[in-house]
Amino acid sequence: MPNRINNFFKNYLLLIIVFITGAAVLVIEVAATRILSVYFGNTIFTVSSVISVILLALSLGYFVGGRLADKRASEYLFFQLIALSGLSVFLLQLLNSILIPSISGMFSLQYGPMVTSLFLFLFPGFLLGMLSPLVATLQKVRLKTQGIGQITGDVFFWSTLGSIVGSVATGFYLIPTFGVSQIILGVGMTLVAIGLWGMITSGKLIGSRKKILIFFIGVSLIQILFVVILDTLKQKDVVYASDGVYDNILIFDHAYEGKPTRFLQQATDASSAMYLDSPELVYDYTKYYSVYKLVSLDIKNALVIGGGAYSVPKALLTADPDVVVDVAEIEPDLFTVGKKYFRVPDDQRLVNHVEDGRRFLQDTDKKYDVLFIDAFHFSIPAHLTTKEFFALSREKLSTEGMCIVNIIGSLSNEKPSFLLSEIKTFKSVYPNSYFFALSSPTKTYPQNIIMVGYNSEKKLDLSSLQTDDMFLASIPEHLIRVEDYLLEEHPVFTDDYAPAEYFIIHDRLLKK
């Protein structure tokens, strides 16, 4: 029995290791989108770049590994490549900590993810791709009675199965539980440990092999030390940092307009903030929640899609003691984080729903007097930009209700234009609508644009406003004359056609 167990272990050991290395590839691939999203956003360009580079790396690894296997396949070489791949993963993390923050600004938001992916992930993926042909060759020597078809089938089965496990484990457990740097460090340590163990057990450590082993151990320890020190320094001035389910979450304190301010940053955007010594709203776009006051709308139910630091929900609760505010925030941790760091009240009138905004609208039976949509950061949820979505939003409004949307775009007729397509899409559902430029309606650089649509025929008379609110009194000068733009030249976004990320990246590149 012991011999049978030993033979089984010996015959399947390399397949078990291929399973682990296959898992490592997908852990790196899934974590890579989080690494790049810090600099380029969590866009289709980021995801496509990571997938393409990993597939390129594996293809090159299979190609070179197959030829290397025919020339000099050995268990020592196999484990040496695993250890080297572990060192390359450590190097990946070092480059991400030291170099990428400095050079990422040199690349465009569209092509930067591809360049950076090649720089960070090509070499580790290439080394891991070389392993499968080597294992197939080694297994053929061990299992002389098995055909090459069965052997290669087993190798790719276990490698792919490991990739599936790595992908699921990263998305469902590792990222929600650990930081990305910890995940990458763990992958590197696992690969180096397996490689060193195999190098030690696969033959006598004499001469140059002993020196190579010492080199691997020394370099591994130095890289781990550097990564730990750099991560510690990066967290020095941070109030809170975590990897959320959808984005990196970073909270830090800094001065804004001379006042001490706390910021919430998700991925690349510090899009929410709170004064530490005042209840006043920080960003002007959030103040547009109050346009309902200009038509004397009596609000009982309000919905905010996109909680962030919960600035608008807090303002609504303060403005009306009778209003009930629902919040659809897809990031699970933000409500708890908001209570701890952004003075979000423990109020029965504030009901948080951890759910996608569109899905929540589809499922709810409530009618809302005010719907404030603030889910458009750098990473654009395209399903919230379409005609069908805005039609759904109007269905969920009360008879006199209004929909307020915060987006970012450029006021120019140049094509493609995310903003003008979105205005046209919004107007197709809300004919009674108004549009405001946060900075100026005469500027063509990217800025916050507020879209306001009424469910009723009630008009907003901006020529004779009667209000004591200084902010509301100032909004007529921000009104966009939509008739000055050639909306007919721009497409309406639908569920079938909504290239929102492509359009907005071109907005930012061409109209700075």
Side-chain angles (χ1 to χ4, degrees), residues 416-460:
S417 171
F418 168 74
L419 175 59
L420 296 184
S421 283
E422 191 68 345
I423 287 176
K424 184 177 179 180
T425 304
F426 191 75
K427 279 184 67 66
S428 70
V429 176
Y430 291 99
N432 185 16
S433 53
Y434 303 83
F435 304 88
F436 302 91
L438 201 68
S439 296
S440 170
T442 63
K443 302 299 183 183
T444 58
Y445 52 71
Q447 59 182 308
N448 288 78
I449 305 294
I450 306 298
M451 308 192 299
V452 179
Y454 288 95
N455 197 26
S456 71
E457 298 302 318
K458 187 179 295 185
K459 297 298 181 181
L460 181 59

Side-chain angles (χ1 to χ4, degrees), residues 467-481:
T467 177
D468 296 328
D469 188 311
M470 293 181 61
F471 172 76
L472 290 177
S474 71
I475 69 170
E477 62 191 69
H478 296 276
L479 182 67
I480 299 169
R481 287 175 49 86

